[in-house]
Amino acid sequence: MANVTFHENPVTLLGSEIKVGDSAPNFSVLSNDLKEVTLNDYKDKVKLISVVPSVDTGVCSEQTKRFNDEASEVANAHVLTVSMDLPFAQKRWRTVNKVENLDLLSDHRNAEFGEKYGVLIQELRLLARSIFVVDSTNTVTYVEYVEEVSNHPDYAKALEAAKAAK
């Protein structure tokens, strides 16, 4: 498993680490209108999945806004942001921040995404900051588990991977 810290303290990630070349696990999360959403809902599309602990924190907010702004530059990919925030909080944050170019999804109900992608922090029941690019055949083409949860991911590499995916 990836070695991840939260404010420099080691944390335990539950689930299996995803690697490039793996088949992306299907998952069930909630949209902001409380509808179930799965990976299969994005069938035949490239997916850039941005994972954040909570959109109501500084780095997470910046990360989500950045991918929202960059989404139009990645015309072949659909951008998803997954967090443990309640759908109501995500919807409020989305409205206040005028985020319209990505899907903001909640894993709060059963942490299925977190466990299947190996990003559920056992000690905090939050998701570890990470990026996954999944191609149109649901093969993982890029993975970044950010070593320190409070740090930013490598935006350029993630966007480059999404643009290159078919």
Side-chain angles (χ1 to χ4, degrees), residues 50-52 59 62-63 66-67 129-131 142 144-146 148-158:
S50 170
V51 183
V52 299
V59 175
E62 288 178 41
Q63 179 175 329
R66 170 96 183 250
F67 281 123
R129 188 175 318 285
S130 49
I131 306 290
Y142 176 84
E144 179 184 7
Y145 289 90
V146 179
E148 167 54 48
V149 175
S150 61
N151 290 343
H152 287 271
D154 189 327
Y155 297 106
K157 282 186 181 176

Side-chain angles (χ1 to χ4, degrees), residues 45-126:
K45 297 178 184 175
V46 172
K47 286 79 59 184
L48 187 156
I49 305 172
S50 170
V51 183
V52 299
S54 173
V55 293
D56 273 325
T57 61
V59 175
C60 299
S61 181
E62 288 178 41
Q63 179 175 329
T64 304
K65 289 178 198 174
R66 170 96 183 250
F67 281 123
N68 179 69
D69 294 344
E70 300 275 359
S72 62
E73 300 295 319
V74 192
N76 65 316
H78 201 91
V79 180
L80 316 174
T81 294
V82 181
S83 77
M84 290 296 272
D85 295 300
L86 292 174
F88 313 109
Q90 289 180 335
K91 187 174 185 176
R92 177 201 47 77
W93 182 90
R94 172 186 211 103
T95 300
V96 167
N97 290 282
K98 299 179 175 89
V99 168
E100 299 173 357
N101 300 323
L102 57 77
D103 291 350
L104 194 51
L105 304 167
S106 174
D107 196 30
H108 90 94
R109 184 173 54 183
N110 55 18
E112 182 178 320
F113 176 90
E115 286 194 43
K116 287 188 173 183
Y117 283 72
V119 295
L120 181 61
I121 300 173
Q122 179 178 3
E123 295 84 353
L124 304 170
R125 194 168 159 67
L126 293 173

Side-chain angles (χ1 to χ4, degrees), residues 33-46:
D33 58 2
L34 302 178
K35 290 191 169 107
E36 182 178 338
V37 176
T38 69
L39 181 67
N40 292 334
D41 291 328
Y42 302 96
K43 185 179 177 183
D44 301 326
K45 297 178 184 175
V46 172

